[in-house]
Amino acid sequence: KNEVEQSPQNLTAQEGEFITINCSYSVGISALHWLQQHPGGGIVSLFMLSSGKKKHGRLIATINIQEKHSSLHITASHPRDSAVYICAVSGWGGGADGLTFGKGTHLIIQP
Amino acid sequence: DAGITQSPRHKVTETGTPVTLRCHQTENHRYMYWYRQDPGHGLRLIHYSYGVKDTDKGEVSDGYSVSRSKTEDFLLTLESATSSQTSVYFCAISDSGRVLGPQHFGDGTRLSIL
């Protein structure tokens, strides 16, 4: 069973700051997912990656397969980025048998 | 947004009663999943389906059963609800392929067992 750990659990920052959320896992994977969940809201997939780096707007996700580690970065953070960010991994079945999740990072961006 | 509808969105019921949650998709995706989300545990897989009538257990399947008689519908049943099954339940779907695409989630069902 893959163990997925996220850090920090909680993060409060000021608007404009550069944010980094980390994720590590214990067993090799086929892909890593970053998800976003707003308070009381649904879950949105931000990134799915198996190597290297992906960028979407102010969000950047990187993964180091050898070190079993991924980071999610937010540049020029904004209060609307306040949400829970969840890391999840797909096993060697490609995710057909579901995802294994970290417990999430609760991010608050203060104006 | 992916077409996923969960029903009901909220439900309060009593211990020992049967409960069925429905997930309906309009994307014709092969794979469907039921997760529960609890404070301190995050999201955990209950059951999943890889096709019509093809289902399998996840990490926390005890006390739950599922059925998938059509591609678009995946039902989760609590035969005799217990207070430990109070949770927020999410359905998710994913398309098929050698490496599956991202999972798309429904809006969740908040279930309270009194």
Side-chain angles (χ1 to χ4, degrees):
Chain A
K1 181 181 183 293
N2 218 330
E3 301 293 334
V4 181
E5 300 287 339
Q6 286 186 238
S7 62
Q9 290 186 356
N10 299 283
L11 178 58
T12 299
Q14 295 299 120
E15 182 174 358
E17 287 189 34
F18 182 81
I19 304 298
T20 296
I21 299 170
N22 296 298
C23 175
S24 62
Y25 51 93
S26 59
V27 178
I29 60 173
S30 60
L32 185 139
H33 306 249
W34 282 103
L35 310 167
Q36 180 191 57
Q37 185 176 26
H38 281 102
I43 299 167
V44 175
S45 178
L46 298 175
F47 296 102
M48 174 182 164
L49 65 166
S50 55
S51 64
K53 177 180 177 178
K54 287 190 176 181
K55 184 175 189 290
H56 180 69
R58 295 180 295 104
L59 301 178
I60 303 166
T62 64
I63 188 168
N64 184 317
I65 296 294
Q66 287 72 31
E67 295 187 3
K68 296 185 175 65
H69 182 270
S70 174
S71 294
L72 176 68
H73 304 287
I74 305 175
T75 63
S77 59
H78 189 275
R80 64 176 174 265
D81 297 325
S82 298
V84 176
Y85 292 84
I86 303 168
C87 171
V89 299
S90 306
W92 290 115
D97 54 352
L99 302 179
T100 301
F101 299 82
K103 293 181 181 178
T105 294
H106 188 194
L107 175 65
I108 298 173
I109 305 296
Q110 295 179 333
Chain B
D1 288 343
I4 311 169
T5 304
Q6 290 187 229
S7 59
R9 293 293 316 279
H10 303 270
K11 186 173 182 68
V12 180
T13 191
E14 294 184 348
T15 300
T17 59
V19 177
T20 295
L21 308 183
R22 181 184 184 230
C23 179
H24 178 79
Q25 60 142 330
T26 59
E27 305 297 318
N28 201 36
H29 283 356
R30 177 180 174 187
Y31 297 90
M32 298 185 75
Y33 308 86
W34 278 109
Y35 298 99
R36 60 178 288 176
Q37 186 177 38
D38 304 289
H41 290 280
L43 285 150
R44 293 176 292 175
L45 179 67
I46 305 171
H47 280 278
Y48 64 99
S49 170
Y50 46 96
V52 173
K53 299 192 189 304
D54 291 324
T55 65
D56 207 344
K57 297 178 179 180
E59 179 187 356
V60 290
S61 61
D62 287 349
Y64 301 95
S65 63
V66 291
S67 66
R68 191 169 178 199
S69 59
K70 298 184 290 185
T71 298
E72 57 266 35
D73 288 324
F74 192 31
L75 304 181
L76 177 71
T77 297
L78 293 65
E79 299 290 349
S80 177
T82 68
S83 58
S84 64
Q85 294 175 311
T86 291
S87 187
V88 181
Y89 292 85
F90 287 95
C91 173
I93 64 174
S94 186
D95 57 13
S96 59
R98 190 177 66 84
V99 176
L100 296 186
Q103 293 195 6
H104 303 283
F105 289 79
D107 290 334
T109 294
R110 186 171 297 273
L111 178 63
S112 296
I113 314 294
L114 304 179

